[in-house]
Amino acid sequence: MRAEAQAYADQINAALALLRRFLDWDRALRRLDELNARVEDPTLWDNPKAAQDVMRERQRLETAINATRAIEQELSDTAELIDMADAEGDAEMADEGVAGLKALAARAEGDKIKALLAGEADANDAYLEVHAGAGGTESQDWAEMLQRMYARWAERHGMKVEIVDYHAGEQAGIKSATLLLKGENAYGYAKTESGVHRLVRISPYDSSARRHTSFSSVWVYPVIDDSIEIEVNESDLKIDTYRASGAGGQHVNTTDSAVRITHVPSGIIVASQNDRSQHKNRATAMGMLRARLYEAELQKREAAALSDYSAKTEIGWGHQIRSYVLQPYQLVKDLRTGVTSTAPSDVLDGDLDPFMAAALSQRVTGEKVEVEDVD
């Protein structure tokens, strides 16, 4: 097979191998047989909730298994077509086959990512917090750039973005902000972004035009509903109210409507100032706290690869998951997976899918990549 076709075939086979590994192929086939038998049981719907759970699991497994088999068959057929075309000297048919493999590779990658988004809370909406590190205006401006980057990424995927909490910087940027991302698999994708992000650039706030390094942290956790029970003792909470801050408006800085809740045993702090009502902000903050506690429990049960990011670390050198270099060259480099981009402007405008896909795959394989940071 010609080199270009072989490269696409290798890419497809790698995606299929990851899918099979993720599904635990033999176990998945046995489980699907069990679920199909249960669906035939006339007593299944005596318990509607249990029946719905069975139907959802069956549909998820059946879809993943059928998609994997279809790609395998199409890969085999197309590879055979290309070999036949090459043997007969039919360049046009061979080119069509290579184009087919290219499209199939893209489809396999998409199916792989969909399958990887099968965690307990992956389908949920997500809260995404951004916090500026040390460095004053420079890091606060970087935090605002990250906030915009994630808002743009979410909008590209048809998600709705709400600002739940916002603390402006003294001169520019933000000290912190919390976004609510509403959309399909919001948490499943965004959870890979938790960690410290490093920016290298010529500072627009430095009259000497020197190069500066700034850090900000991102923390992502899922929105949970009332069906998930998280016990929170009121005696463990410290609740503060303060005046909301933001871009302006008649209710900004006029009433103590914003609410900050500290969960003393864990040290978790959440805040909400999106609503004019203190009561509603408190309810939102309590929901965020329950979500954070639930996310902490989820992380205990997730793959070993997740343990590296299971707790917040110092927002500074040595803890970053990704570096964004704007000067003296253009490069974004993920320090977990080695994925790079030479178009930082596109990444900062929300082009994050390659980074997220690689991080999701790494959570399944558990493979560590030795990656050197950039200067």
Side-chain angles (χ1 to χ4, degrees):
M1 191 185 299
R2 58 176 66 182
E4 186 181 9
Q6 188 61 56
Y8 288 130
D10 291 345
Q11 182 181 344
I12 294 165
N13 281 320
L16 290 171
L18 187 62
L19 275 169
R20 283 175 165 270
R21 180 172 178 175
F22 177 75
L23 289 169
D24 191 352
W25 188 255
D26 292 337
R27 186 206 62 80
L29 294 178
R30 291 194 301 270
R31 180 58 178 164
L32 183 59
D33 288 340
E34 293 172 5
L35 293 170
N36 284 332
R38 291 188 65 183
V39 168
E40 297 297 323
D41 186 348
T43 66
L44 174 66
W45 289 96
D46 291 349
N47 184 337
K49 185 179 183 305
Q52 289 172 358
D53 291 342
V54 168
M55 297 301 290
R56 277 194 295 267
E57 183 183 0
R58 174 176 174 267
Q59 181 178 9
R60 181 184 68 81
L61 273 179
E62 189 173 53
T63 299
I65 289 170
N66 288 344
T68 302
R69 284 173 167 165
I71 291 172
E72 288 175 335
Q73 185 62 53
E74 193 168 336
L75 171 60
S76 176
D77 292 345
T78 306
E80 185 177 340
L81 175 68
I82 293 172
D83 288 341
M84 185 185 303
D86 284 338
E88 296 176 358
D90 190 335
E92 184 177 352
M93 181 182 293
D95 288 342
E96 288 179 4
V98 173
L101 280 185
K102 181 179 179 180
L104 186 61
R107 197 173 97 205
E109 189 67 20
D111 285 347
K112 179 188 78 174
I113 297 305
K114 288 178 183 177
L116 296 180
L117 295 172
E120 188 172 332
D122 283 355
N124 293 23
D125 297 338
Y127 292 110
L128 186 147
E129 296 181 10
V130 181
H131 296 270
T137 301
E138 187 66 35
S139 63
Q140 290 168 12
D141 187 50
W142 171 224
E144 187 170 48
M145 291 169 66
L146 285 174
Q147 176 198 338
R148 179 187 179 277
M149 179 180 77
Y150 289 114
R152 291 288 295 115
W153 169 80
E155 289 163 359
R156 285 181 175 213
H157 287 266
M159 298 180 190
K160 183 178 179 182
V161 181
E162 297 178 9
I163 297 179
V164 177
D165 191 47
Y166 183 95
H167 297 275
E170 284 89 356
Q171 296 180 5
I174 58 171
K175 294 178 180 177
S176 66
T178 302
L179 303 179
L180 172 57
L181 310 180
K182 294 183 175 181
E184 184 179 1
N185 292 320
Y187 176 66
Y189 283 110
K191 69 182 181 184
T192 63
E193 294 299 294
S194 288
V196 176
H197 297 248
R198 169 181 173 246
L199 172 70
V200 180
R201 65 172 176 174
I202 300 297
S203 171
Y205 305 101
D206 187 337
S207 59
S208 300
R210 291 172 295 186
R211 198 166 70 137
H212 284 245
T213 297
S214 306
F215 298 92
S216 290
S217 70
V218 174
W219 191 248
V220 183
Y221 47 101
V223 176
I224 61 174
D225 57 33
D226 293 336
S227 65
I228 299 173
E229 296 183 5
I230 302 294
E231 185 176 347
V232 180
N233 295 322
E234 287 286 335
S235 59
D236 290 338
L237 305 180
K238 180 177 179 290
I239 301 176
D240 301 303
T241 59
Y242 57 97
R243 292 187 178 182
S245 64
Q250 68 182 91
H251 288 273
V252 174
N253 294 324
T254 59
T255 61
D256 291 342
S257 60
V259 175
R260 180 187 300 110
I261 300 177
T262 303
H263 185 249
V264 177
S266 65
I268 291 173
I269 301 173
V270 294
S272 174
Q273 59 171 316
N274 193 41
D275 206 280
R276 298 173 180 177
S277 162
Q278 184 184 117
H279 176 74
K280 290 182 179 178
N281 280 328
R282 174 171 173 149
T284 298
M286 281 298 296
M288 293 167 66
L289 176 61
R290 291 176 61 248
R292 283 286 299 274
L293 293 171
Y294 172 64
E295 187 257 358
E297 178 60 29
L298 272 184
Q299 289 203 8
K300 293 177 184 177
R301 294 178 290 175
E302 280 201 353
L306 191 57
S307 63
D308 288 344
Y309 317 109
S310 62
K312 285 187 176 179
T313 59
E314 177 187 347
I315 308 176
W317 186 271
H319 301 285
Q320 59 268 27
I321 64 168
R322 190 176 303 141
S323 288
Y324 307 70
V325 180
L326 307 185
Q327 291 287 345
Y329 51 88
Q330 302 268 303
L331 182 68
V332 179
K333 187 173 187 178
D334 195 288
L335 306 179
R336 302 161 299 175
T337 64
V339 172
T340 62
S341 170
T342 55
S345 59
D346 291 345
V347 175
L348 292 173
D349 199 40
D351 185 13
L352 295 169
D353 289 353
F355 298 99
M356 293 178 172
L360 281 168
S361 297
Q362 189 181 65
R363 286 169 180 246
V364 174
T365 63
E367 295 176 359
K368 299 294 183 181
V369 181
E370 292 295 328
V371 183
E372 290 187 6
D373 202 353
V374 290
D375 294 330

